């Protein structure tokens, strides 16, 4: 079972990997975006990490809804409302249970991904974070490791796509040949699930 | 009409200068003496290009006179942030609406319409109609 501590670890290890990868995310965002994805997400996840550290919420749902709310208010770019909606909706779907199992997390995350698709109007193949998140959620039923691999594959697979959403969509063919920064950061978020399990007590997965 | 209370207008742009200028333009074209509350929410809190949920929430609160608030945005994160705030439920005043309209033309139509004492639905309709105005 996964408790609030697991979800706090998930957010904390994600904040650490966003810190570590911020420059790479911004570099990916410079040819096809406005070159702020890394710094924007870094600001948001640092705010999440600090808030969770100061006042840790008691349930998995509360951890994710608070994290989502903070991302919406601190990121400053489109990734704020998109990641914020993902985590908030996932958190709401988890309800106020003290512990949830992997299957409940997978279902809740699917609800979160659906909400992001609705908010941004994006579908798989549009060269967005959805291209990492949808395969990750599909694989989450097997294991966190399978979800991580699926998200990373999904992110890499955005490279030959032509962007149909966001600023990159204005570039048309020129968006082809660049890995999508949003799909790349989404893969970091999903990878955090594995790290949060490995850091935690044995048998939590 | 809504008891003499005017609809408030919030203008959300990636640029503080654009938001402030469009607010000024719309109020100028609405005519002298108009009391329509208009608030720009442009750029981030640190003055960069981008969108600030905090600035949007503060602007909406500042123009709320009880007759509703119409929010007009430019693109990308401005649209998504307002939608996400509306989904939160308690971040924006009651009867706040994201209006589907072109930013400059919609702002002028919204402010002029609001200055007549029109309700939120009428302000929204006027701003959205700006899409129908073909330039060529």
């Amino acid at each position: 079972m996964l408790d609030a501590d697991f979800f706090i670890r998930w957010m904390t290890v994600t904040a650490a990997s966003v810190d570590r990868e911020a420059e790479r995310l911004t570099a990916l965002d410079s040819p096809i975006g406005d070159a702020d994805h890394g710094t924007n997400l870094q600001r948001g996840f640092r705010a999440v990490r600090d808030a969770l550290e100061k006042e840790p919420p008691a349930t998995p749902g509360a951890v994710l809804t608070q994290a989502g709310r903070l991302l919406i208010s601190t990121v400053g770019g489109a990734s704020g409302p998109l990641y914020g909606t993902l985590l908030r909706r996932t958190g709401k779907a988890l309800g106020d249970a003290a512990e949830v199992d992997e299957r409940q997390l997978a279902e809740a995350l699917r609800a979160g991904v659906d909400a992001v698709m609705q908010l941004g109007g994006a579908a798989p193949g549009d060269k967005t974070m959805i291209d990492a998140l949808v395969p990750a959620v599909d694989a989450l039923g097997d294991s966190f490791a399978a979800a991580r691999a699926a998200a990373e594959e999904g992110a890499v697979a955005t490279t030959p796509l032509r962007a149909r959403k966001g600023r990159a969509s204005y570039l048309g063919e020129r968006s082809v040949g660049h890995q999508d920064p949003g799909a790349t950061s989404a893969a970091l978020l999903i990878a955090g699930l594995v790290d949060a399990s490995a850091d935690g007590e044995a048998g939590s997965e | 009409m809504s008891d003499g209370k005017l609809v408030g207008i919030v203008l959300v742009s990636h640029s503080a200068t654009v938001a402030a200028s469009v607010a000024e333009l719309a109020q100028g074209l609405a005519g002298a003496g108009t009391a329509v509350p208009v608030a720009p929410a442009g750029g981030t809190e640190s003055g960069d290009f981008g969108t600030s949920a905090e600035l949007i929430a503060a602007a909406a609160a500042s123009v709320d006179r009880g007759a509703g608030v119409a929010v007009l945005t430019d693109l990308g994160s401005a649209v998504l942030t307002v939608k996400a705030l509306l989904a939160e439920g308690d971040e924006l005043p009651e009867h706040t609406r994201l209006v589907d309209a072109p930013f400059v033309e919609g702002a002028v139509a919204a402010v002029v319409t609001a200055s007549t004492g029109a309700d939120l639905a009428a302000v929204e309709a006027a701003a959205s109609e700006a899409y129908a105005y073909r330039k060529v």
Side-chain angles (χ1 to χ4, degrees), chain A residues 7-82:
Chain A
F7 284 84
I8 291 171
R9 282 200 302 278
W10 182 22
M11 293 298 106
T12 307
V13 298
T14 302
S17 62
V18 166
D19 265 344
R20 207 165 47 237
E21 300 284 335
E23 277 181 36
R24 179 171 158 251
L25 293 174
T26 289
L28 289 173
D29 194 35
S30 62
I32 59 170
D34 41 7
D36 59 6
H37 190 56
T39 43
N40 280 350
L41 267 195
Q42 195 173 32
R43 182 168 55 246
F45 273 100
R46 279 181 179 175
V48 168
R49 179 196 61 198
D50 293 348
L52 293 177
E53 196 174 301
K54 202 180 286 179
E55 214 170 317
T59 65
V63 171
L64 296 188
T65 51
Q66 192 194 87
R69 189 192 169 90
L70 276 164
L71 291 175
I72 293 169
S73 63
T74 57
V75 168
S79 51
L82 292 168

Side-chain angles (χ1 to χ4, degrees), chain A:
Chain A
M1 294 294 278
L2 309 166
D3 59 8
D5 284 346
F6 169 84
F7 284 84
I8 291 171
R9 282 200 302 278
W10 182 22
M11 293 298 106
T12 307
V13 298
T14 302
S17 62
V18 166
D19 265 344
R20 207 165 47 237
E21 300 284 335
E23 277 181 36
R24 179 171 158 251
L25 293 174
T26 289
L28 289 173
D29 194 35
S30 62
I32 59 170
D34 41 7
D36 59 6
H37 190 56
T39 43
N40 280 350
L41 267 195
Q42 195 173 32
R43 182 168 55 246
F45 273 100
R46 279 181 179 175
V48 168
R49 179 196 61 198
D50 293 348
L52 293 177
E53 196 174 301
K54 202 180 286 179
E55 214 170 317
T59 65
V63 171
L64 296 188
T65 51
Q66 192 194 87
R69 189 192 169 90
L70 276 164
L71 291 175
I72 293 169
S73 63
T74 57
V75 168
S79 51
L82 292 168
Y83 276 104
T85 295
L86 174 68
L87 295 183
R88 266 183 61 85
R89 203 58 71 89
T90 303
K92 282 191 170 181
L94 290 175
D96 51 11
E99 293 186 327
V100 299
D101 61 27
E102 282 83 353
R103 189 184 51 81
Q104 287 169 310
L105 172 58
E107 282 172 12
L109 200 57
R110 189 176 293 281
V113 173
D114 287 345
V116 173
M117 288 201 277
Q118 201 185 359
L119 177 67
D126 285 347
K127 198 179 180 90
T128 71
M129 61 197 287
I130 294 303
D131 291 316
L133 291 175
V134 166
V137 167
D138 288 341
L140 204 52
D142 298 332
S143 68
F144 289 161
R148 174 172 70 180
E152 282 165 5
E153 273 173 40
V156 170
T158 60
T159 305
L161 299 177
R162 176 176 169 160
R164 285 197 289 258
K165 286 287 158 192
R167 184 195 176 282
S169 65
Y170 301 136
L171 300 177
E173 285 299 325
R174 278 192 289 149
S175 67
V176 171
H178 302 280
Q179 183 169 323
D180 181 62
T184 308
S185 57
L188 294 180
L189 176 73
I190 298 300
L193 284 169
V194 178
D195 296 334
S197 314
D199 290 350
E201 54 205 301
S204 68
E205 194 177 344

Side-chain angles (χ1 to χ4, degrees), chain B residues 34-134:
Chain B
T34 176
V36 178
V38 180
T44 66
E45 279 149 283
S46 50
D48 297 321
F49 292 135
T51 306
S52 161
E54 309 253 319
L55 291 181
I56 295 168
S62 78
V63 299
D64 181 23
R65 302 288 183 272
V69 176
V71 183
L72 285 89
T73 66
D74 56 5
L75 40 87
S77 65
V79 180
L80 295 175
T81 301
V82 173
K83 281 188 177 176
L85 288 173
L86 287 170
E88 296 263 328
D90 54 357
E91 293 287 314
L92 299 174
E94 225 185 329
H95 307 301
T96 297
R97 248 181 243 177
L98 171 61
V99 170
D100 185 19
F103 193 57
V104 178
E105 295 87 339
V108 172
V111 174
V112 172
T113 306
S115 73
T116 67
D119 64 14
L120 182 57
V123 168
E124 181 178 33
S128 298
E129 269 173 33
Y131 274 132
Y133 170 62
R134 313 304 313 178

